Amino acid sequence: NGGCSHLCLRKPHGYSCQCPTGLKMQSNGKDCEDLPKAYLLIALRSGIGRISLDTPEMFDVVLPIDSIFGAVVVDYHYEKNYLFYADVNADAIKRINMKNYNDAKTIVSTGLNTPNGIAVDWMANNLYWSDSALKIIEVSRLDGTYRKTLLRSDLDDVRSMILFKSFLWFADWGHTARIERSLLDGSDRKVIVNADLGFPTGLAIDFMAKKLFWADALRDCVEFSDFDGSKRTKIIMHAEHPFGFTLTNSFFYYSDWYNKSIIRIARHSNGIPEEVRHNLRGALEIRSVSAERQPSYFN
């Protein structure tokens, strides 16, 4: 194969090594990167999609993962190259090595009913998840061991989750929709937003600005606030049917669960929504993956 790691393409007087869409060539001109440095992960129910942010095409690739029946939420551990997803049809939480898709493990398969949210603590190597049917929030190590129920009272329909430093935020779609915050051990629990909410979802954090973002799948908008719910601001007045939401330094991204598309909006301008992918059947949660999104320490 001409010594090429991926594509070897003939030329009149030789050949050139090329990479699949979304992957960059290493400096030796022959070996492609195993993974993009920055990309989006998308839960597609029957699969998991990836959109590279390293190259301009915004082409989506469905990852070669077998036996996905209802992937609705995803998260990752950047340093370990782990992808985690919850399958609501199989009632299981699974872990995939992103550099070896054959290395797939079911890490939680019992005591689940409808796992609708997961969040990775990449600093302590713990995994949190919510179960909207059992009305609980649990935690374990990354391999599913040492499982513990953290919260089980006053939860109605708990969904999206995100964490930062020692805090865990989670959204509840119950009779009174709300966003709550607790410490990572479940203590010091507080309701921080409980007015003018429909279906809060797609929780995300801006680490530098120290802001909490969320989409509202019922009120069709995107908002942010301080970590305690104060200084609440609507940043996208009308987002078509948003479900998943994530951000990078340059863009906001959200999944349109009705039109089956991924939309982005430039962060630092009054940019108009741009559809970057369409016909993504079942597009639900979306996560931005990069080393910047999981720093090894915080100031």
Side-chain angles (χ1 to χ4, degrees):
N1 200 40
C4 303
S5 64
H6 289 72
L7 291 171
C8 180
L9 304 182
R10 291 187 295 165
K11 299 170 68 173
H13 303 290
Y15 64 91
S16 67
C17 297
Q18 300 292 328
C19 297
T21 299
L23 296 182
K24 282 189 172 182
M25 181 68 70
Q26 296 184 32
S27 59
N28 64 11
K30 290 183 176 292
D31 296 320
C32 302
E33 299 285 353
D34 294 326
L35 286 170
K37 298 295 184 185
Y39 53 95
L40 302 175
L41 285 173
I42 311 161
L44 300 172
R45 283 202 172 268
S46 60
I48 295 174
R50 185 184 72 203
I51 297 177
S52 173
L53 301 179
D54 287 359
T55 58
E57 300 92 352
M58 298 298 292
F59 184 78
D60 62 286
V61 175
V62 177
L63 301 181
I65 305 172
D66 294 331
S67 303
I68 297 180
F69 305 102
V72 295
V73 287
V74 294
D75 207 354
Y76 65 95
H77 192 299
Y78 191 84
E79 183 180 8
K80 294 182 180 295
N81 294 305
Y82 284 156
L83 160 67
F84 296 85
Y85 69 93
D87 192 315
V88 294
N89 287 28
D91 289 331
I93 296 175
K94 300 185 180 184
R95 186 184 78 189
I96 307 293
N97 187 324
M98 292 286 285
K99 289 191 174 182
N100 179 9
Y101 294 105
N102 293 324
D103 182 20
K105 295 182 179 179
T106 299
I107 61 172
V108 182
S109 60
T110 61
L112 292 176
N113 193 315
T114 311
N116 262 322
I118 56 175
V120 172
D121 182 348
W122 67 93
M123 298 183 73
N125 292 326
N126 294 323
L127 177 68
Y128 292 77
W129 67 90
S130 62
D131 192 308
S132 56
L134 299 179
K135 305 181 190 302
I136 58 175
I137 291 176
E138 298 189 79
V139 64
S140 74
R141 299 295 285 165
L142 293 181
D143 60 1
T145 59
Y146 306 115
R147 180 176 176 179
K148 179 179 177 62
T149 300
L150 284 183
L151 297 172
R152 65 168 62 252
S153 63
D154 300 319
L155 295 174
D156 294 325
D157 189 1
V158 63
R159 300 281 183 131
S160 179
M161 310 173 73
I162 198 73
L163 56 83
F164 176 66
K165 289 189 174 179
S166 57
F167 292 108
L168 173 70
W169 289 264
F170 52 95
D172 196 308
W173 289 13
H175 180 70
T176 301
R178 61 194 185 273
I179 299 173
E180 298 192 47
R181 187 188 77 181
S182 74
L183 297 180
L184 292 179
D185 63 359
S187 64
D188 197 24
R189 178 180 172 185
K190 297 177 181 177
V191 176
I192 63 167
V193 181
N194 62 358
D196 299 320
L197 285 177
F199 295 149
T201 184
L203 300 186
I205 297 286
D206 184 324
F207 299 142
M208 298 299 294
K210 294 182 170 56
K211 301 293 184 182
L212 172 70
F213 291 75
W214 67 91
D216 195 311
L218 181 62
R219 298 174 69 241
D220 290 347
C221 62
V222 177
E223 301 184 70
F224 74 85
S225 73
D226 285 350
F227 287 164
D228 60 1
S230 63
K231 299 180 181 178
R232 181 176 174 182
T233 304
K234 190 177 291 186
I235 55 165
I236 303 177
M237 304 300 291
H238 184 70
E240 291 285 343
H241 314 292
F243 190 92
F245 176 84
T246 194
L247 51 88
T248 66
N249 290 336
S250 302
F251 293 97
F252 298 125
Y253 293 88
Y254 65 88
S255 60
D256 181 330
W257 70 346
Y258 182 77
N259 293 315
K260 303 176 181 63
S261 58
I262 302 297
I263 311 295
R264 76 176 179 184
I265 298 176
R267 290 189 58 170
H268 305 296
S269 69
N270 295 320
I272 61 175
E274 175 190 5
E275 184 183 71
V276 295
R277 295 307 300 161
H278 61 277
N279 291 331
L280 294 177
R281 181 182 178 187
L284 294 171
E285 187 166 69
I286 181 172
R287 293 282 200 190
S288 170
V289 181
S290 70
E292 293 179 348
R293 298 300 301 156
Q294 291 192 349
S296 58
Y297 67 94
F298 297 112
N299 294 324

